[in-house]
Amino acid sequence: MSVPTPFWRSVEALNNVVYLVPEAARHYTSIGLKGSWMGYFASRSAPMGAASPELVVATFHGFAPHLVHRALPDAWGFASPARVHRARLELATGVLGRALTGEQVAPLADSLASIVEGLDLAGKPLAAAHASLEAPADDLGRFWLADAVVREFRGDCHVAVLVTHGLGGVDANVLNLAAGRTFPEQQALRGWSDDEWAAGHDRLRARGWLDDDGAITPLGADARDELEAATDRACLSAMSTDAVATAVEITDDLRAVARALRASLKT
């Protein structure tokens, strides 16, 4: 038995919405942070404590170091990690509450929490940091935080796979863009300079994964698919049998919730 791809995609969508809504920047400004990037890096790393920029570069992997250094460690002088984490939960429950009720998500929160209990978190720092947090009292918050642990679990596995295959942050982003798996603006969104981006292209061309025009080759497409498959295998190997079974069981319900949330954000 394996974990269905729609499960992981739904987990990702439900977790990431808290970083993508327009009000996120204003929300973090209200507690003293400066700018949307400071809010993003501080809020996602807050479970690790007053994380250094070096730690965040290492665990987030895909962002240009200078972008992280612009936000950290300054953020911790404006708001403590505990305050930032509370603000992120407040934002998450507010966004979820547009489309969902605590009663609706309570069973999924229970199921996700049971999945978390069945994860081997060795070598998965962001997931472990999130898992160490006290579960919120309300069901919307409990649901979102458990979902975040599972999302960071797969993210940690993916970073491990990328590093094992010798792909740095810029290389992984260049490959994703060439494969059509991310936004056209990904270079700017992740803070990479033109020279850094070009160097990433050069390294992927040397592997035979991109052609001279920067288009992905069949070899590169196969490699990109294998990176995802290897991530799935890494996740599966670190999940208990019960956790996998629960993920399979709740996939359709989780996908329905993710769709309802996306629809609410379009109105």
Side-chain angles (χ1 to χ4, degrees), residues 100-174:
L100 308 165
T101 67
E103 184 178 2
Q104 283 177 291
V105 301
L108 285 173
D110 292 338
S111 295
L112 287 168
S114 74
I115 290 173
V116 170
E117 291 177 358
L119 301 180
D120 179 357
L121 297 179
K124 302 166 188 73
L126 270 173
H130 281 72
S132 71
L133 299 170
E134 182 178 357
D138 65 290
D139 288 325
L140 283 173
R142 193 165 60 89
F143 167 72
W144 186 85
L145 183 58
D147 182 90
V149 176
V150 178
R151 187 269 167 219
E152 296 295 6
F153 168 78
R154 191 179 193 279
D156 287 335
C157 288
H158 192 54
V159 170
V161 167
L162 294 175
V163 171
T164 299
H165 285 77
L167 287 174
V170 67
D171 301 42
N173 277 285
V174 171

Side-chain angles (χ1 to χ4, degrees), residues 169-242:
V170 67
D171 301 42
N173 277 285
V174 171
L175 182 61
N176 266 357
L177 182 58
R181 291 175 178 258
T182 191
F183 305 107
E185 306 84 8
Q186 191 72 354
Q187 178 187 346
L189 288 173
R190 295 300 176 95
W192 299 105
S193 70
D194 288 342
D195 287 345
E196 290 167 332
W197 200 254
H201 272 272
D202 290 343
R203 287 188 289 270
L204 294 179
R205 276 194 293 269
R207 290 175 181 253
W209 292 5
L210 299 183
D211 64 21
D212 290 341
D213 295 323
I216 195 165
T217 64
L219 181 63
D222 288 345
R224 183 63 186 78
D225 289 343
E226 172 54 26
L227 291 171
E228 289 298 325
T231 299
D232 288 340
R233 292 193 297 270
C235 291
L236 191 62
S237 69
M239 299 176 69
S240 70
T241 301
D242 286 345

Side-chain angles (χ1 to χ4, degrees), residues 12-56:
E12 179 91 8
L14 288 162
N15 175 253
N16 285 1
V17 68
V18 76
Y19 305 119
L20 300 175
V21 289
E23 63 265 35
R26 296 193 302 273
H27 187 75
Y28 292 120
T29 297
S30 72
I31 64 167
L33 301 185
K34 312 293 182 182
S36 58
W37 280 122
M38 182 177 284
Y40 172 77
F41 290 123
S43 64
R44 189 176 167 205
S45 67
M48 297 189 291
S52 69
E54 293 80 9
L55 177 57
V56 171

Side-chain angles (χ1 to χ4, degrees), residues 24-103:
R26 296 193 302 273
H27 187 75
Y28 292 120
T29 297
S30 72
I31 64 167
L33 301 185
K34 312 293 182 182
S36 58
W37 280 122
M38 182 177 284
Y40 172 77
F41 290 123
S43 64
R44 189 176 167 205
S45 67
M48 297 189 291
S52 69
E54 293 80 9
L55 177 57
V56 171
V57 169
T59 51
F60 288 23
H61 183 265
F63 292 89
H66 80 88
L67 197 63
V68 181
H69 281 263
R70 280 169 48 187
L72 301 175
D74 290 354
W76 312 127
F78 300 128
S80 70
R83 180 66 188 97
V84 174
H85 171 61
R86 288 197 302 274
R88 183 174 62 153
L89 272 179
E90 291 162 3
L91 179 61
T93 55
V95 173
L96 291 176
R98 297 176 188 174
L100 308 165
T101 67
E103 184 178 2

